[in-house]
Amino acid sequence: MIDYQPAWRRYRIWRSLAILVWLGFFPVTYLAGVIGKHFDVPSLFIVAALVWMLFMASTVAEVSWVRCPRCGKTFAVKMFFNLLPPVFVRRCVHCGLAKFSNG
Ligand SMILES: [Zn+2]
């Protein structure tokens, strides 16, 4: 039997990072705004927000287009768009492999 756990471990890391990045958007931009106001750099807020949004987009893209360890196709997205957010998909949309299973 093939062990899929290293692939799932990688997925869990990216998923956790994506959740942390989403939750951290408002605190980070608020902190950048406060620091920018203190040091008289008003553009720091905009720069921090834009950089953080790029960070959010890249982590969400990584979670969305994760490859199924069994079939090698995208786990949660069959076409370009999927109605269910990829985090909530429980089985591979191509081969039916259950999330976090070994086959
Ligand atoms: Zn699959």
Side-chain angles (χ1 to χ4, degrees):
M1 179 189 268
I2 300 171
D3 185 18
Y4 297 138
Q5 292 310 311
W8 293 127
R9 195 172 309 116
R10 183 178 179 278
Y11 170 77
R12 282 188 184 106
I13 290 170
W14 277 105
R15 185 189 62 180
S16 300
L17 185 63
I19 291 169
L20 285 175
V21 168
W22 271 90
L23 292 176
F25 178 74
F26 288 111
V28 166
T29 52
Y30 176 76
L31 187 65
V34 169
I35 292 172
K37 193 176 244 182
H38 182 73
F39 291 106
D40 200 22
V41 186
S43 61
L44 184 64
F45 169 77
I46 299 296
V47 170
L50 289 176
V51 168
W52 204 261
M53 280 191 247
L54 283 174
F55 197 25
M56 288 166 64
S58 63
T59 55
V60 167
E62 186 68 32
V63 171
S64 299
W65 291 307
V66 66
R67 297 279 173 186
C68 173
R70 183 162 68 189
C71 69
K73 298 176 181 173
T74 52
F75 186 81
V77 180
K78 200 163 199 170
M79 306 272 290
F80 183 73
F81 180 73
N82 203 11
L83 288 177
L84 192 62
V87 172
F88 299 119
V89 174
R90 302 175 66 102
R91 294 190 168 275
C92 175
V93 293
H94 296 281
C95 70
L97 176 70
K99 191 183 276 185
F100 306 127
S101 75
N102 253 348

